[in-house]
Amino acid sequence: MLNFSKSVPIQRNKLIYTLDGLRVSTFSANFHFGVKYSFKLFTFKHLEKVFRWLGFEVVAHRNKTAAEMKNLLKDVGKTVDGDCFVCCILSHGLKEGVYGTDGAVISVDEIREPFNGNNCQRLVGKPKMFFIQACRGKRNQDHVLVQADSSEDGESEMEVDGDDFDITIPADTDFLIARSATDGHLSYRRPEEGSWFIQSLCRNLEQHCPL
């Protein structure tokens, strides 16, 4: 049984989440339409281990067509409970989105839309995170040298004129979408361990999430 809790305001323009009921859905695929995605069981097991350690209920879906992924995501959006939702997708991809096993494509908008405030009232004001391991093109990314700059923290205040107005939040609020490649570029995996992106995600969650 998953419990609910409300987001708690602590300061003006600042918000924290209290997370009692958590769920993660993972999608992975071995492809049937020409090129095979050499999905590494180690990658999935690492994801599963880390999110279970963080207190999530983990539900896995494998080898789904684009239409099946769309339908599954819509079903999850209608039934999901809890205070946080995470979706991890490991697949081939291109600029327009992520491949299903049939070669059809599901866009990122189609992935997140079932969980916006209009379609998923249960997750309004709650974090929704999407981690997508997939190429977004065929180019290698360029390399540049960088120098660290120090920045000063600052806060901005927003004032609203008028006494009679409705307090609302955007339907697409509280989303985090992290992708393994920038637009037009390739995504990489180690032959033995799988996705660099997913392995780095798991390591950082293990190292930096206090329990």
Side-chain angles (χ1 to χ4, degrees):
M1 185 70 181
L2 296 176
N3 299 318
F4 289 87
S5 65
K6 295 182 179 179
S7 301
V8 182
I10 54 173
Q11 292 182 25
R12 195 178 205 179
N13 295 335
K14 288 188 176 181
L15 196 70
I16 63 170
Y17 301 105
T18 55
L19 306 177
D20 293 331
L22 313 170
R23 173 166 174 163
V24 58
S25 293
T26 62
F27 292 81
S28 62
N30 289 319
F31 280 81
H32 312 302
F33 68 98
V35 59
K36 183 177 179 181
Y37 181 87
S38 56
F39 169 71
K40 298 298 181 181
L41 186 61
F42 176 83
T43 303
F44 170 75
K45 290 296 184 183
H46 201 175
L47 272 175
E48 183 180 34
K49 174 185 174 184
V50 169
F51 280 102
R52 288 194 190 280
W53 172 70
L54 290 170
F56 281 76
E57 172 194 355
V58 179
V59 180
H61 306 277
R62 299 187 185 180
N63 300 326
K64 300 301 180 183
T65 66
E68 288 173 334
M69 282 195 284
K70 291 177 188 178
N71 291 332
L72 278 167
L73 289 165
K74 288 179 181 178
D75 289 342
V76 173
K78 294 175 182 177
T79 60
V80 64
D81 282 339
D83 294 316
C84 179
F85 175 74
V86 176
C87 178
C88 302
I89 298 178
L90 292 78
S91 182
H92 284 299
L94 72 173
K95 181 178 181 180
E96 289 76 15
V98 177
Y99 282 116
T101 55
D102 57 345
V105 174
I106 177 172
S107 70
V108 174
D109 284 342
E110 290 173 317
I111 291 169
R112 68 172 180 80
E113 186 175 4
F115 305 95
N116 67 26
N118 293 324
N119 297 319
C120 186
Q121 285 289 315
R122 291 184 180 92
L123 292 181
V124 170
K126 299 173 183 179
K128 298 163 283 285
M129 292 173 278
F130 296 80
F131 299 99
I132 302 173
Q133 166 63 40
C135 291
R136 300 180 67 185
K138 296 183 178 180
R139 291 181 290 152
N140 290 308
Q141 295 193 47
D142 295 331
H143 300 274
V144 295
L145 296 175
V146 297
Q147 181 177 355
D149 295 324
S150 60
S151 60
E152 296 181 1
D153 294 332
E155 295 183 8
S156 61
E157 296 288 338
M158 181 179 67
E159 295 182 354
V160 179
D161 294 329
D163 296 327
D164 187 14
F165 62 91
D166 293 328
I167 299 175
T168 62
I169 61 174
D172 289 321
T173 193
D174 301 293
F175 275 91
L176 168 67
I177 300 175
R179 305 183 67 174
S180 61
T182 55
D183 189 19
H185 294 89
L186 293 165
S187 183
Y188 298 97
R189 290 172 283 121
R190 289 192 177 98
E192 298 300 326
E193 297 182 359
S195 162
W196 293 358
F197 172 66
I198 297 297
Q199 296 305 319
S200 178
L201 169 66
C202 291
R203 282 196 304 270
N204 279 278
L205 288 174
E206 288 173 326
Q207 292 174 9
H208 301 296
C209 287
L211 287 181

